[in-house]
Amino acid sequence: MKKLINHPDSVVREMLEGTVLLSAAASLLSDENVVVEADLPAPSQRKVAVISGGGSGHEPAHAGYVGSGMLTAAIAGDVFTSPSADAVLAGIRAASGAAGALLIVKNYTGDRLNFGLAAEMARAEGYPVEIVVVADDVALRETVSADRRRGIAGTILVHKIAGAAAAKGLSLEEVAAIAREAAASVGSMGVSLGPCTLPSVGRPNFELGVDEIEIGLGIHGEHGIRKMQLVPADDLVQIILDALLADGKMKKGDRIALLVNGLGATPPLELAILARSALHRLSREGVEVARAWTGTLLSALDMPGFSLSVLPVSSNQLELLDQPTTALAWRGGGVIGGKTLTTNPAPRTAPNEEEAVSIGESGHQLRHLFERAAKALILAEDELARLDGFSGDGDLGASMRRGAEALLSLPEAAFVTPGNALIMAGDRIRRAIAGSSGPFYATAFLRAGRRLSEHPSPSASDIAAAFSDAVQAIMDLGGAKPGDRTMIDALEPAARALHDAIAGGKPPEIALRDSINAARKGAEMTSLMHPKLGRASYLGTRAIGSPDAGAAAVTVWLSALDHDARPE
């Protein structure tokens, strides 16, 4: 197990200490794992206290939601373990006053028992206390009765609504009624791509096959209602929304609040894809999403996966969701965009790809060379990926393939002149290749194209000059020079050899082979070089021993230009 902790026994206390240090809205009791809103007025002046909590491991819940307008206190148990009744009672004493306290409890046996016992103890001491239980997990709709469902991420919406109602100065009975209405309406369901690891255990709490997922999991690492094979994100969203619709949690014409919640190890990239899918599907169902939030709002430690929560909202509930809070973890806002797509302005000088033109001999020759280079790069995808994996992220092979496909997609009209073909190739490559390779090659093609635009039927010396211009463009853009262990270590000697051979009167085909040999030698030398630029520079001497992948790619496409060569 690799965890960024000091000791399993201290994770909860140290987590709470870190949380309150980061939040001006919260403080921590000295003798209990209870976070309380900072700077509360005297007990006689306090509004209704909204208190929640449960086992730790669900961060930012619950301590992250302590603040004016949300939770007044949060009680933290050990990881995935209910806090004791004494801890809950300490939270009630610290946060409550004459107006009383509302306890919001997720529907787990331990939480209900300990919060319920603490409520009785607090009432015996004279504190008015009400309890609202959240049981929003619709995955269990065919397994248990509605009052026995688990409480999961939809609880956060109940926290927000109840906290805002309390902040308005409503009575305990009024705040409890508003919270109960929200708890009865909210529905949630989750999907897990893998298990989580408890710090005290040190190993995953269940196993899944490589392509297996759990549908309808809880938030404590327990199994879901069934396993299935991994399917695309859109299909997973559909499974959850189908369940929420079937359970009656929403229907056509409803206005809802939506939570797209990560379970701890789901990156924002994936959550945004899930949110996109959910918003599109809900729109098709005739459901209006009035507010939506995405992020890790209630986690299950480091579990990869997500849940969706929906809450049909009245105008009053929407107003409560919109009320400000000082809670550190509440994301606020939630208003979704209207117009999502805008028109992309056309380039000032867009090449005419459809115009019927007559292609000259030089254009036909260049198209043939593009085809040879492109096919060679496609064949070399796996090898280039392997080389790139030694010092980079392994995507160079795929990038070069996409660039090659862009070259193959050029229309015949592009080859009216070599200069025009190079400029259009640069435009296509720029859009086809992500990462650094795209800008480098696009810049090279554009500068070489400008050089040859002056020569509709370029000579060998014109081509050599254009090659030199292209290499210089890459050096200007990236700052690399020979010896830095980059593609320049193959390109610069190749351009120099071509120039020298042509200037020395060698036939073009011999000059090309001189250029190819120089590129190969330069690429081979990179295996002995200390990297100075690019991702390989982060590895230092660990990158030595393998040639630079970018330089190797140069030798692939350059070698393919030799008509007597055969792609490997």
Side-chain angles (χ1 to χ4, degrees):
M1 178 183 71
K2 293 181 180 179
K3 293 285 184 183
L4 299 175
I5 64 174
N6 293 309
H7 192 279
D9 293 342
S10 63
V11 292
V12 173
R13 187 68 183 183
E14 291 178 359
M15 174 271 293
L16 295 176
E17 290 172 356
T19 299
V20 299
L21 285 170
L22 291 168
S23 174
S27 61
L28 179 63
L29 295 189
S30 60
D31 57 350
E32 291 284 359
N33 287 337
V34 176
V35 175
V36 181
E37 184 183 340
D39 302 321
L40 285 172
S44 62
Q45 304 299 315
R46 292 176 187 174
K47 299 174 181 178
V48 171
V50 179
I51 299 172
S52 190
S56 296
H58 305 304
E59 290 68 38
H62 301 83
Y65 298 118
V66 172
S68 174
M70 204 160 178
L71 294 183
T72 317
I75 297 89
D78 289 337
V79 175
F80 293 170
T81 302
S82 173
S84 68
D86 287 337
V88 178
L89 180 61
I92 295 172
R93 289 170 178 161
S96 304
L102 174 67
L103 307 186
I104 299 176
V105 183
K106 296 187 299 302
N107 197 26
Y108 293 94
T109 301
D111 287 350
R112 294 191 65 161
L113 290 176
N114 285 294
F115 277 82
L117 175 57
E120 289 299 321
M121 295 164 68
R123 290 176 186 131
E125 294 183 11
Y127 292 97
V129 179
E130 292 281 349
I131 297 177
V132 171
V133 176
V134 183
D136 57 321
D137 186 3
V138 303
L140 301 177
R141 69 190 188 282
E142 297 177 352
T143 306
V144 298
S145 59
D147 62 340
R148 293 182 57 200
R149 298 178 182 181
R150 297 173 293 206
I152 52 177
T155 309
I156 306 303
L157 293 172
V158 182
H159 289 165
K160 180 65 185 68
I161 287 173
K168 293 178 67 174
L170 300 182
S171 69
L172 176 58
E173 290 74 18
E174 290 171 320
V175 174
I178 290 170
R180 288 193 181 103
E181 181 183 10
S185 301
V186 69
S188 304
M189 184 170 167
V191 171
S192 171
L193 308 186
C196 58
T197 301
L198 277 68
S200 60
V201 176
R203 62 180 181 275
N205 57 339
F206 63 85
E207 293 184 2
L208 284 174
V210 174
D211 295 324
E212 279 187 325
I213 60 173
E214 288 272 2
I215 299 293
L217 74 156
I219 55 172
H220 302 104
E222 63 264 48
H223 289 286
I225 57 171
R226 62 187 173 95
K227 290 182 181 180
M228 63 175 283
Q229 292 297 109
L230 178 64
V231 294
D234 287 352
D235 295 338
L236 294 176
V237 168
Q238 180 169 318
I239 289 170
I240 293 179
L241 293 182
D242 283 347
L244 290 164
L245 286 162
D247 195 57
K249 290 301 181 182
M250 59 182 171
K251 62 183 182 303
K252 183 177 181 179
D254 280 347
R255 298 178 76 199
I256 68 164
L258 170 69
L259 290 186
V260 182
N261 174 57
L263 294 175
T266 308
L269 180 150
E270 295 175 23
L271 292 176
I273 292 171
L274 295 163
R276 163 195 170 275
S277 181
L279 291 169
H280 285 329
R281 169 71 191 284
L282 290 167
S283 177
R284 293 194 300 271
E285 292 290 339
V287 176
E288 177 191 350
V289 180
R291 298 290 184 272
W293 295 271
T294 180
T296 301
L297 299 160
L298 189 146
S299 65
L301 288 170
D302 56 350
M303 180 176 285
F306 75 101
S307 64
L308 299 180
S309 301
V310 299
L311 172 67
V313 289
S314 64
S315 296
N316 181 58
Q317 289 172 318
L318 199 58
E319 179 186 343
L320 295 172
L321 287 171
D322 287 342
Q323 289 299 307
T325 174
T326 59
L328 179 67
W330 178 248
R331 292 176 173 267
V335 178
I336 65 174
K339 185 177 182 180
T340 58
L341 298 177
T342 57
T343 302
N344 187 26
R348 293 182 179 179
T349 55
N352 187 346
E353 299 183 2
E354 304 300 330
E355 182 179 350
V357 293
S358 176
I359 306 301
E361 180 61 26
S362 59
H364 285 297
Q365 290 177 349
L366 183 57
R367 187 173 194 180
H368 180 59
L369 292 176
F370 275 13
E371 289 176 353
R372 290 181 63 84
K375 291 175 181 178
L377 286 170
I378 291 171
L379 288 173
E381 178 179 356
D382 291 344
E383 176 61 14
L384 293 177
R386 185 186 69 82
L387 291 175
D388 192 37
F390 287 124
S391 57
D393 53 12
D395 68 344
L396 182 67
S399 293
M400 290 293 97
R401 173 182 51 77
R402 289 193 295 270
E405 291 168 348
L407 290 181
L408 293 173
S409 73
L410 284 170
E412 186 175 355
F415 295 89
V416 61
T417 66
N420 186 67
L422 289 170
I423 290 172
M424 288 186 64
D427 184 66
R428 290 286 179 96
I429 284 174
R430 170 177 56 82
R431 288 180 279 178
I433 304 180
S436 59
S437 297
F440 284 142
Y441 275 103
T443 299
F445 272 106
L446 290 172
R447 193 171 295 185
R450 288 206 308 274
R451 162 78 73 162
L452 293 186
S453 292
E454 304 169 6
H455 306 281
S457 298
S459 65
S461 60
D462 293 331
I463 293 171
F467 190 14
S468 295
D469 284 355
V471 175
Q472 187 61 50
I474 294 174
M475 290 195 288
D476 291 343
L477 181 62
K481 58 186 184 298
D484 285 344
R485 197 183 186 274
T486 69
M487 63 196 299
I488 292 299
D489 289 299
L491 284 171
E492 193 278 336
R496 182 160 29 89
L498 183 66
H499 174 273
D500 292 347
I502 295 296
K506 289 185 178 181
E509 61 274 14
I510 301 301
L512 174 60
R513 289 170 193 160
D514 286 354
S515 178
I516 293 169
N517 289 332
R520 287 173 175 166
K521 290 178 182 177
E524 290 170 2
M525 290 298 295
T526 60
S527 63
L528 305 176
M529 295 178 183
H530 189 288
K532 298 177 183 177
L533 290 175
R535 286 192 176 128
S537 64
Y538 308 150
L539 299 178
T541 57
R542 292 171 63 189
I544 294 175
S546 174
D548 177 73
V554 170
T555 67
V556 170
W557 61 257
L558 190 59
S559 298
L561 302 184
D562 185 352
H563 286 265
D564 292 332
R566 294 288 181 270
E568 296 180 2

